C-alpha cells in the first residue's frame, strides 16, 4: 500500500494553501480542484496528512473512480474494488455520500446499492454471508458528479478541524481550518506578535501559536484509521514521535486577545491551556473602541461580528467604522480581517491591499488584507 491515492477536502478558497501544506509534508502528484486536493503516498503519508494538515477537513483514501449511469453499473463498479485490503471480517463499513448532475440522483438508493456491492465483494473474499460490523469503523464515502462515481474511505473520523482544544466556544466561532488558512496566508513566524481584538474562543491566537511553534494540529487527538488492522500501529507511533521532535520549543511567538465579553477572554485562556500553548497567550476584556498598539511590528487577525438581521448589520457597520478609526497605520502592522459585508472597506475607511474569497461555513466572505 505504498501508492495510495489520497484526497483532502477543504473549505472553498483554501485550495492553494492546502496544496502547499501537502507538498511540505512530502505528498506526491499533487492536484488541485474546487474544494479538494488529491495526492499520492503510502500509509506513512496517510498518518502524516492526518496529523499535519491544518486546512484539510479530512483525509480520504480514493479507492476508485468510474462512470455509472445505472444501478447495475454502480453495483459492478463497487464490487470490483478490493475492499478487503482495508475492511476486515468483523469491521463496520457504513456508507454515505452525495450525487450532483447525475442520472443516479437518489442518494438513499445509491447508498443501498453500494452497501450491497460491498457486502457481496466481502462475502466472496471471506467466504461468509453475515457481517456483524462490531469492529473499527471504515466509513465508505461516495460522490457522483456528472455520472462519475468516486468511492473513498474516510481515515480521519471526526473532521480535522476538531483539534481537541475547543470543547467550548462562543457564538459564531471561526472554524479552526479557516483560521489556520488565514494564518498561513499571513506568514506567521516563530517570533511573530499576534493580536486579535475579537478573540472569542481564541481560535486565531491558538492556531497562530501552534503554527509558529510547528505543533502538528492533530497531535492531541485520534483518527479512525488508527484502529484499522490494515495500518500498523508503529506507523502512527513513528509519525507522532516525529511530530513531537519537530516542535519549536524555543519559539518566542506572543499572542494577545481582547474581547468585550470577559467570559470570552476566560474561554480563550482555558482553550489555550488545553492546546498546550497558554504560556504564549494573554487575553483580557477590552472593547475594540479602546484598541491601541504601541508595537512597531505585529499581525492583527480579526473576525468581527457579521450581523444577520438589519439592526445587527447596522451595529456591525458601526464596529467596522470604529476599527478603521482605532487600528493604527504603521509600516510594521499588518491586518487580516474576514467579513461577509460587501462594503466593508467603505465603512473601515480604506481599501485593502489584497482581497481573497473565502467561506466561513456556508457564509461567503472576503479576507481583507492590509500589509503595505
Amino acid at each position: 500500500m505504498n501508492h495510495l491515492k489520497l484526497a483532502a477536502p477543504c473549505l472553498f478558497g483554501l485550495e492553494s494553501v492546502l496544496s502547499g501544506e501537502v507538498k511540505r509534508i512530502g505528498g506526491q502528484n499533487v492536484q488541485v480542484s474546487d474544494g479538494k486536493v488529491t495526492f499520492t503516498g503510502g500509509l506513512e503519508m496517510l498518518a502524516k496528512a492526518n496529523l499535519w494538515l491544518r486546512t484539510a477537513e479530512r483525509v480520504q483514501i480514493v479507492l476508485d473512480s468510474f462512470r455509472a449511469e445505472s444501478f447495475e453499473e454502480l453495483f459492478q463498479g463497487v464490487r470490483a474494488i478490493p475492499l478487503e485490503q482495508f475492511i476486515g471480517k468483523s469491521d463496520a463499513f457504513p456508507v454515505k455520500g452525495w450525487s450532483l448532475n447525475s442520472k443516479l440522483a437518489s442518494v438513499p438508493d445509491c447508498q443501498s446499492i453500494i452497501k450491497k456491492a460491498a457486502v457481496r465483494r466481502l462475502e466472496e473474499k471471506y467466504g461468509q454471508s453475515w457481517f456483524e460490523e462490531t469492529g473499527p469503523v471504515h466509513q465508505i464515502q461516495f460522490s457522483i458528479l456528472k455520472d462519475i462515481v468516486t468511492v473513498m474511505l474516510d481515515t480521519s473520523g471526526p473532521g480535522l478541524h476538531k483539534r481537541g482544544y475547543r470543547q467550548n466556544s462562543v457564538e459564531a466561532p471561526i472554524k479552526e481550518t479557516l483560521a489556520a488558512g488565514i494564518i498561513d496566508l499571513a506568514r506567521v513566524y516563530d517570533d511573530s506578535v499576534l493580536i486579535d481584538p475579537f478573540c472569542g474562543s481564541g481560535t486565531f491566537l491558538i492556531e497562530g501559536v501552534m503554527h509558529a511553534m510547528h505543533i502538528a494540529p492533530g497531535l492531541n487527538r485520534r483518527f479512525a484509521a488508527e484502529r484499522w488492522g490494515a495500518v500498523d500501529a508503529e506507523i502512527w507511533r513513528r509519525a507522532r514521535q516525529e511530530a513531537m521532535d519537530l516542535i519549536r520549543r524555543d519559539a518566542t511567538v506572543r499572542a494577545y486577545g481582547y474581547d468585550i465579553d470577559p467570559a470570552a477572554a476566560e474561554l480563550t485562556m482555558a482553550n489555550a491551556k488545553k492546546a498546550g500553548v497558554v504560556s504564549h497567550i494573554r487575553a483580557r476584556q477590552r472593547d475594540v473602541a479602546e484598541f491601541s498598539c504601541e508595537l512597531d511590528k505585529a499581525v492583527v487577525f480579526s473576525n468581527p461580528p457579521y450581523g444577520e438581521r438589519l439592526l445587527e448589520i447596522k451595529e456591525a457597520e458601526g464596529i467596522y467604522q470604529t476599527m478603521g478609526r482605532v487600528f493604527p497605520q504603521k509600516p510594521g502592522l499588518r491586518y487580516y480581517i474576514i467579513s461577509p459585508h460587501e462594503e466593508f472597506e467603505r465603512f473601515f475607511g480604506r481599501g485593502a491591499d489584497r482581497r481573497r474569497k473565502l467561506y466561513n461555513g456556508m457564509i461567503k466572505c472576503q479576507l481583507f488584507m492590509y500589509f503595505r
Side-chain angles (χ1 to χ4, degrees):
M1 296 188 203
N2 283 330
H3 294 287
L4 299 172
K5 183 176 182 184
L6 301 169
C10 65
L11 295 169
F12 286 107
L14 292 180
E15 295 89 347
S16 63
V17 175
L18 176 54
S19 153
E21 285 192 85
V22 169
K23 288 170 185 167
R24 286 197 292 276
I25 63 166
Q28 301 293 309
N29 306 308
V30 180
Q31 293 187 305
V32 179
S33 56
D34 283 349
K36 186 169 68 177
V37 174
T38 59
F39 53 105
T40 59
L43 292 172
E44 290 81 4
M45 178 53 55
L46 182 156
K48 276 178 88 167
N50 273 295
L51 279 167
W52 280 104
L53 295 180
R54 297 179 194 280
T55 56
E57 294 302 313
R58 56 187 60 256
V59 177
Q60 302 157 322
I61 297 169
V62 181
L63 297 172
D64 200 10
S65 283
F66 55 89
R67 176 173 285 277
E69 297 181 17
S70 68
F71 288 133
E72 179 61 21
E73 286 174 333
L74 179 62
F75 182 89
Q76 295 302 342
V78 174
R79 187 180 171 187
I81 296 170
L83 296 169
E84 66 283 355
Q85 286 183 357
F86 296 98
I87 302 172
K89 293 180 182 182
S90 61
D91 291 342
F93 49 103
V95 178
K96 67 179 179 184
W98 52 267
S99 175
L100 193 64
N101 300 335
S102 299
K103 290 186 176 66
L104 298 175
S106 166
V107 170
D109 285 343
C110 292
Q111 269 176 302
S112 175
I113 296 291
I114 289 170
K115 183 71 175 185
K116 280 180 190 162
V119 168
R120 180 67 57 83
R121 170 82 192 195
L122 296 172
E123 278 176 351
E124 290 164 357
K125 292 298 170 182
Y126 291 132
Q128 64 185 56
S129 58
W130 171 254
F131 292 90
E132 57 188 44
E133 297 199 48
T134 55
V137 175
H138 294 60
Q139 177 68 61
I140 296 175
Q141 295 182 315
F142 68 89
S143 64
I144 310 177
L145 180 61
K146 296 178 182 172
D147 301 322
I148 299 297
V149 180
T150 303
V151 181
M152 297 161 287
L153 277 182
D154 171 46
T155 72
S156 301
L160 292 182
H161 68 280
K162 294 190 174 172
R163 323 285 210 213
Y165 65 75
R166 202 173 81 176
Q167 269 79 28
N168 302 308
S169 63
V170 293
E171 279 184 47
I174 192 165
K175 204 170 184 183
E176 294 90 331
T177 42
L178 178 57
I182 293 169
I183 284 153
D184 193 293
L185 290 166
R187 292 186 167 80
V188 166
Y189 300 104
D190 61 2
D191 62 349
S192 292
V193 177
L194 316 176
I195 302 172
D196 184 352
F198 302 92
C199 64
S201 316
T203 310
F204 267 129
L205 304 176
I206 295 166
E207 291 292 325
V209 171
M210 285 173 69
H211 178 105
M213 293 183 69
H214 210 57
I215 298 172
L219 204 48
N220 290 330
R221 56 160 286 175
R222 293 282 180 229
F223 308 96
E226 285 190 74
R227 296 187 285 275
W228 296 0
V231 188
D232 193 327
E234 180 60 18
I235 287 171
W236 291 98
R237 193 200 65 74
R238 279 201 308 266
R240 278 205 157 80
Q241 187 56 54
E242 182 192 1
M244 290 291 290
D245 294 343
L246 287 169
I247 296 173
R248 295 180 187 137
R249 298 178 197 280
D250 59 348
T252 57
V253 60
R254 289 174 293 147
Y256 301 98
Y258 307 101
D259 203 288
I260 195 167
D261 180 0
E266 283 174 29
L267 186 55
T268 289
M269 294 307 290
N271 288 343
K273 192 173 181 183
K274 279 192 207 118
V277 295
V278 72
S279 62
H280 294 264
I281 294 176
R282 293 288 172 270
R284 65 183 178 87
Q285 190 265 335
R286 186 168 80 172
D287 190 322
V288 70
E290 298 160 23
F291 183 88
S292 63
C293 182
E294 306 306 318
L295 299 165
D296 291 327
K297 204 173 174 186
V299 192
V300 180
F301 295 99
S302 183
N303 178 33
Y306 293 175
E308 287 172 23
R309 293 179 286 277
L310 191 60
L311 184 64
E312 291 172 348
I313 290 168
K314 289 288 173 204
E315 284 174 7
E317 288 167 354
I319 290 169
Y320 303 155
Q321 286 174 321
T322 301
M323 288 163 63
R325 193 175 70 250
V326 300
F327 283 10
Q329 295 187 59
K330 291 184 193 172
L333 291 186
R334 296 184 283 133
Y335 298 94
Y336 293 80
I337 305 164
I338 186 166
S339 172
H341 200 300
E342 300 276 328
E343 294 191 72
F344 169 82
E345 290 160 294
R346 182 166 73 80
F347 288 99
F348 188 64
R350 44 194 136 130
D353 296 317
R354 193 177 295 163
R355 289 175 220 80
R356 189 183 185 107
K357 275 187 197 153
L358 293 172
Y359 279 80
N360 190 1
M362 300 304 290
I363 304 169
K364 184 177 161 191
C365 295
Q366 292 258 19
L367 176 63
F368 298 97
M369 301 179 251
Y370 297 84
F371 47 76
R372 292 205 174 103

